[in-house]
Amino acid sequence: MNFRHPLRRQTWRRVLALLLMAGIAPTLWAADAFPTKTITLIVNGGAGSLPDNFARPLAERLRQTLGQAVVIDNKPGAGGLVALQALKSAAPDGHTLAIVTNAHMVWNPFVFPKLTYDPQTDLLPVSPIALIPMALVVNPKVPAQSLEQLVALAEQKPGVLNYASSSNGSPPHVLFELFKAQSGSRIVHIPFRTGPDALTSVIAGDTQIYLAGTSLVEPMVKDGRLRVLAVSPSVKSPTFANVPTFADKQYTGFESAVWLGVVTNAGVPANVVERLNREIGQLLQDPALQKVFESQGSLPYHASPAAFAQRIAQDRALWTPVLQKLDLKPN
């Protein structure tokens, strides 16, 4: 564009001055220049955990489209408090992101009395990326072939059976407590730091039950190291084709109950958030990435930042009375 004409030059100077006064020009420049350095994607889970398995292929493709390195920073444990405190403390420039679930954005305030971040004011929704079907599995030595038999066993031996979770406030924790509330069973919670740790404990028989993402448990169901009793309605895998859903057994709240998404911290310019959302949305249309996600048992899921924020708000409205009634406490 030619700015040499004096009238044009004066006009653009006035426009630029008005933009600067309104604080708009720096935002536009930030979005246009973004990214200017390495992007960090924080994962509340160890290497090989369910969120890590989504974060790594996403990070690799973001590196290709954004032209900057995207590194994974694994910060497992404490229900995501460590991971999201790190995000909260980062510079608000869009170069620090985190993989979250509805546990971090909706459930944690009802589990941790001293939450170190506020999901409504400290975090900005960028984009959802996947819906995660869930499966309730048991160690084969547990003498239960169905949910009915598991509940009956728990009634016969109250407080003797136990279940593993990937941490306090995690989806396996909250959803199993929902199952306990609806079934009236007394089963003891044993939290671990990561999903693989919890899974290993159930396979070894140190704990007995686990409610986890279908992709995490599918190999062990196939080879007989775990027995599956129920799944979410959206499971496509033939491994679970003849397994009853929670809805079949009159349990509610397990339909698409777990999602994964990307967030950043408060203060990041809206145009940067929109840029990240646009890039992620385009990547989720890539058949190769869809195949990777589907191999994890998930359904790719994208929405605008506003629609994602609305989904979080709707989940908060749905789950608030449920979680207040459950009165969860970190173990």
Side-chain angles (χ1 to χ4, degrees):
M1 187 175 291
N2 182 11
F3 296 105
R4 296 173 63 184
H5 191 284
L7 290 179
R8 287 182 178 174
R9 186 164 59 246
Q10 291 173 11
T11 299
W12 277 102
R13 282 175 177 170
R14 292 192 188 101
V15 171
L16 182 57
L18 289 171
L19 289 173
L20 287 168
M21 289 174 64
I24 295 172
T27 299
L28 294 174
W29 289 336
D32 188 56
F34 178 85
T36 60
K37 60 182 179 181
T38 296
I39 294 173
T40 299
L41 181 57
I42 301 172
V43 178
N44 173 225
S49 64
L50 186 66
D52 185 77
N53 289 340
F54 286 87
R56 292 184 184 276
L58 181 65
E60 173 57 26
R61 286 163 175 81
L62 280 174
R63 179 191 66 78
Q64 296 172 6
T65 61
L66 293 174
Q68 288 283 354
V70 182
V71 299
I72 301 296
D73 185 5
N74 294 99
K75 292 186 179 297
L81 273 65
V82 175
L84 294 176
Q85 180 60 43
L87 175 62
K88 175 183 173 181
S89 302
D93 56 12
H95 291 88
T96 306
L97 311 171
I99 296 287
V100 295
T101 69
N102 33 348
H104 308 118
M105 302 300 289
V106 179
W107 300 342
N108 273 0
F110 299 93
V111 180
F112 298 95
K114 296 182 179 180
L115 199 63
T116 56
Y117 70 94
D118 186 330
Q120 298 189 65
T121 60
D122 293 330
L123 306 178
L124 286 178
V126 174
S127 174
I129 59 173
L131 294 172
I132 310 297
M134 304 292 283
L136 191 154
V137 296
V138 297
N139 182 283
K141 293 182 179 179
V142 175
Q145 303 291 328
S146 66
L147 287 183
E148 294 89 344
Q149 291 180 9
L150 183 66
V151 172
L153 187 62
E155 290 176 352
Q156 295 168 12
K157 300 178 179 180
V160 174
L161 287 178
N162 58 50
Y163 76 94
S165 84
S166 49
S167 70
N168 288 300
S170 64
H173 177 204
V174 173
L175 290 175
F176 200 90
E177 289 296 321
L178 180 63
F179 169 74
K180 284 171 55 179
Q182 294 183 17
S183 65
S185 54
R186 290 174 55 192
I187 302 175
V188 178
H189 177 217
I190 309 294
F192 290 81
R193 291 189 72 243
T194 70
D197 290 341
L199 179 63
T200 299
S201 77
V202 180
I203 294 170
D206 298 326
T207 55
Q208 299 159 309
I209 311 166
Y210 193 24
L211 205 170
T214 53
S215 64
L216 192 64
V217 300
E218 183 173 4
M220 297 76 188
V221 171
K222 282 182 175 179
D223 65 21
R225 285 181 287 169
L226 294 173
R227 180 188 306 128
V228 60
L229 304 186
V231 295
S232 298
S234 53
V235 176
K236 292 183 177 180
S237 170
T239 302
F240 305 103
N242 298 317
V243 179
T245 68
F246 288 99
D248 291 337
K249 299 300 180 179
Q250 309 306 311
Y251 292 98
T252 60
F254 297 87
E255 307 83 11
S256 301
V258 180
W259 45 256
L260 281 176
V262 176
V263 299
T264 190
N265 50 338
V268 173
N271 284 356
V272 172
V273 173
E274 290 288 350
R275 168 83 188 280
L276 287 164
N277 176 275
R278 186 167 61 252
E279 297 292 350
I280 291 171
Q282 290 174 352
L283 290 175
L284 290 175
Q285 295 177 26
D286 177 11
L289 185 61
Q290 289 179 355
K291 192 170 183 179
V292 172
F293 276 25
E294 287 170 4
S295 73
Q296 297 296 322
S298 79
L299 308 172
Y301 171 33
H302 179 253
S304 69
F308 188 22
Q310 184 178 22
R311 168 66 187 262
I312 294 168
Q314 290 172 341
D315 278 7
R316 192 173 289 119
L318 172 69
W319 279 95
T320 291
V322 175
L323 292 164
Q324 287 174 335
K325 186 176 180 180
L326 291 177
D327 191 27
L328 301 179
K329 297 291 189 296
N331 293 71

